[in-house]
Amino acid sequence: MANGCAKRGGCPSDYVAVAIAVICFFVLLSRSVLPCLIHKAPRTNSSSFWIPVIQVFSSFNLLFSIVMSVNLLQFKSRHWWQYCYLWAVWIEGPLGFGLLMSCRITQAFQLYFIFVKKRLPPIKSYIFLPLVLLPWIIGAAILHGIKPLNSECHMGLEWTLPVAGLHGLYVLALIAFTRAIRHVEFRFDELRDLWKGILVSATSVVIWVTAFVLNEILQEISWLQVASRFVLLVTGGVLVVIFFSISSNQPLLSQISLKKREQHYEFQRMGLALGIPDSGLLFRKEEFRLVDPNEPLDKLLLNKRFRHSLMEFADSCYAGETLHFYEEVYEHGKIPEGDSTRRIYMARHIMEKFIVAGAEMEVNLSHKTRQEILTTQDLTHPDLFKNALNEVMQLIKMNLVRDYWSSIFFIKFREEERCDEAMHKEEWSFSSPRLSSVQGSDDPFYQEHMSKSSTSRCNSPG
């Protein structure tokens, strides 16, 4: 019985391994999908979205191909879809482990050019990824042509060791890219995550290759066949879960926690995640000043209350991308020029959100200006978005501001200004009974008292 299931599959340990692999894949699927569904993270056309999707696809291929190629499940008869070279060569190799490692190498390649070379990678990720995968495709084609596999999908020692060496070669390639960026002071622990990925993948590959070699060359030992394929599948399941859980390409989304929903609110803007002063705050402590519509637009937009009122109007007209772009570029300008790492984070965020074709909030720019930004040789340049901002300001002047002055949003803004002006005049005459030496704007009880005394006046009709 043991010898029979060791050869044909269907041992109790085989079903346990399959169950563990299924659980691992669903854990992987939940970790990749749930944060986006719960927090409604926007889908982008950039590699930060597609590479994780490809990782999920390759993880499924890796686990399912192991199940099919090492006889974990017992089938009464042989079918065409159990073809060894389909599962053991193509799906397990180029479309499984090879694709999974190629995704991580592509991420490390992007980080190297963005943070070390301070420019976008010269090769697009959808071109670089197939190039990295090419050795696996060539190797699979050679194996398919020579056909060294027997009827039980096993290959001899002369082929097992080169295949194991190809697995190790990709781990070494990932180590090489990671060493090249080890001196960068990342804000979101990308380097630490890459080293973790290397440690996890290297350990898994050693265990996995050992089980793979034993499974291939010691076919006459029944218990070793059963144990090795159990370890092969379970290690593969653990590898894909841990490997995917380590994020190194999407720093803003990596701040999302399934346990702390308030953390998503705290880091829903890149400026907040980077610690830019007053980023995303509707009100800030500044000298109260009435807005004069006759002032130049660039001066008016420095008033944060006015800027957000205009942004609400623009969003209602489905033209808010221009104001959001101005806001992000304004925050980008607050970062000191010497802080190259944060400037690169913010510049890359703006480019992916507003500049690249098909972006979430793509702004209307001339082809020349767009290409100047996308082909820049210095992501830290202080005038990186200068021409784009000038074009956007012209669009705001021509299309939004003139309509805004006659909108209900401006009327509401004026009413709020009058209330604030009245509260500002009373601020210095107000004396807190609890903290008499503290000014009104710093008194924690001030807002409560003033809201009670002035709500009726500010909100009363007429």
Side-chain angles (χ1 to χ4, degrees):
M1 177 67 180
N3 290 336
C5 74
K7 184 177 181 180
R8 296 191 303 270
C11 294
S13 60
D14 294 336
Y15 290 106
V16 172
V18 171
I20 294 174
V22 171
I23 292 172
C24 287
F25 181 74
F26 277 105
V27 170
L28 165 67
L29 204 59
S30 65
R31 291 186 67 90
S32 60
V33 174
L34 285 182
C36 297
L37 293 179
I38 292 176
H39 303 292
K40 297 181 174 59
R43 186 184 72 82
T44 66
N45 292 325
S46 65
S47 60
S48 60
F49 173 79
W50 288 111
I51 286 182
V53 171
I54 294 174
Q55 285 182 337
V56 174
F57 171 75
S58 60
S59 299
F60 174 79
N61 288 341
L62 177 62
L63 297 178
F64 195 58
S65 63
I66 294 175
V67 172
M68 298 301 296
S69 62
V70 298
N71 298 324
L72 278 160
L73 300 178
Q74 183 177 6
F75 296 97
K76 294 182 178 180
S77 59
R78 200 75 177 175
H79 302 280
W80 65 268
W81 44 265
Q82 293 174 263
Y83 186 47
C84 283
Y85 290 92
L86 173 64
W87 298 106
V89 175
W90 288 103
I91 296 182
E92 186 178 337
L95 298 179
F97 183 83
L99 188 57
L100 186 64
M101 291 298 296
S102 298
C103 288
R104 186 61 78 180
I105 292 173
T106 301
Q107 291 175 323
F109 171 78
Q110 291 177 330
L111 291 174
Y112 170 75
F113 270 92
I114 290 172
F115 289 98
V116 177
K117 297 296 185 180
K118 298 181 181 179
R119 61 187 180 93
L120 295 180
I123 305 177
K124 298 293 185 181
S125 58
Y126 58 81
I127 297 176
F128 183 79
L129 182 59
L131 290 177
V132 177
L133 192 60
L134 192 58
W136 278 98
I137 298 174
I138 295 174
I142 293 174
L143 288 175
H144 199 123
I146 298 177
K147 290 185 169 39
L149 301 181
N150 59 24
S151 60
E152 296 176 359
C153 297
H154 292 284
M155 66 180 71
L157 182 63
E158 67 275 11
W159 288 103
T160 300
L161 294 181
V163 170
L166 187 59
H167 287 72
L169 179 63
Y170 274 62
V171 177
L172 293 176
L174 185 57
I175 292 175
F177 275 113
T178 304
R179 279 182 56 84
I181 60 175
R182 66 185 185 278
H183 63 279
V184 178
E185 296 181 1
F186 291 101
R187 294 279 300 183
F188 298 98
D189 297 324
E190 288 90 341
L191 183 62
R192 185 192 65 183
D193 291 344
L194 281 174
W195 283 120
K196 284 183 179 178
I198 290 171
L199 179 62
V200 170
S201 59
T203 304
S204 299
V205 166
V206 169
I207 299 174
W208 194 33
V209 169
T210 302
F212 183 78
V213 170
L214 293 175
N215 185 271
E216 293 293 327
I217 65 178
L218 299 177
Q219 303 177 36
E220 68 281 359
I221 305 178
S222 300
W223 70 266
L224 188 59
Q225 283 286 298
V226 175
S228 62
R229 67 192 184 206
F230 176 86
V231 173
L232 192 66
L233 183 57
V234 171
T235 305
V238 174
L239 168 68
V240 298
V241 170
I242 298 179
F243 205 57
F244 185 86
S245 300
I246 300 172
S247 172
S248 68
N249 192 58
Q250 207 168 4
L252 187 58
L253 187 58
S254 69
Q255 302 299 313
I256 295 176
S257 170
L258 292 177
K259 297 180 180 179
K260 297 181 180 180
R261 293 189 59 127
E262 66 273 9
Q263 190 172 359
H264 170 64
Y265 174 79
E266 182 182 357
F267 291 110
Q268 61 184 328
R269 294 176 61 89
M270 179 60 81
L272 281 171
L274 293 176
I276 299 175
D278 296 331
S279 177
L281 300 176
L282 182 57
F283 306 111
R284 60 179 181 177
K285 293 183 180 180
E286 58 183 355
E287 183 180 354
F288 178 80
R289 182 175 60 85
L290 290 173
V291 169
D292 183 2
N294 296 319
E295 291 182 342
L297 178 61
D298 55 350
K299 188 175 181 180
L300 289 173
L301 289 175
L302 295 178
N303 185 301
K304 200 156 194 177
R305 185 190 292 273
F306 171 80
R307 189 165 69 245
H308 278 266
S309 177
L310 182 60
M311 189 180 297
E312 289 178 356
F313 169 72
D315 287 335
S316 70
C317 301
Y318 302 99
E321 65 275 359
T322 53
L323 267 300
H324 288 280
F325 175 74
Y326 176 91
E327 181 93 348
E328 301 275 12
V329 173
Y330 179 73
E331 292 181 356
H332 176 264
K334 293 180 181 179
I335 305 174
E337 292 186 16
D339 192 348
S340 60
T341 300
R342 286 204 299 173
R343 291 186 70 85
I344 289 174
Y345 273 120
M346 196 66 188
R348 186 188 179 204
H349 167 72
I350 293 172
M351 293 165 74
E352 291 187 350
K353 187 175 181 180
F354 300 101
I355 306 299
V356 298
E360 173 194 354
M361 303 184 73
E362 182 182 354
V363 292
N364 187 11
L365 299 174
S366 65
H367 177 74
K368 178 182 177 182
T369 300
R370 194 182 304 273
Q371 289 305 116
E372 284 178 353
I373 296 174
L374 296 178
T375 60
T376 181
Q377 297 298 307
D378 186 4
L379 287 171
T380 64
H381 198 283
D383 295 330
L384 178 61
F385 300 106
K386 181 179 179 180
N387 293 335
L389 189 60
N390 290 336
E391 292 185 14
V392 166
M393 290 291 286
Q394 289 299 320
L395 291 174
I396 295 174
K397 289 178 182 177
M398 292 188 298
N399 301 330
L400 288 176
V401 175
R402 288 183 297 182
D403 295 333
Y404 171 76
W405 299 130
S406 58
S407 70
I408 189 66
F409 291 88
F410 179 63
I411 297 174
K412 179 182 176 182
F413 172 74
R414 275 304 195 198
E415 291 177 352
E416 292 176 351
E417 264 196 330
R418 295 191 188 98
C419 291
D420 289 340
E421 183 182 16
M423 294 173 65
H424 182 73
K425 290 179 179 178
E426 296 179 7
E427 180 176 339
W428 296 102
S429 60
F430 178 80
S431 177
S432 171
R434 301 189 185 187
L435 298 172
S436 58
S437 62
V438 179
Q439 295 181 4
S441 59
D442 297 321
D443 181 1
F445 305 101
Y446 173 75
Q447 185 176 1
E448 178 183 356
H449 291 306
M450 287 302 299
S451 61
K452 292 179 180 179
S453 63
S454 59
T455 298
S456 59
R457 180 171 66 255
C458 291
N459 295 337
S460 60

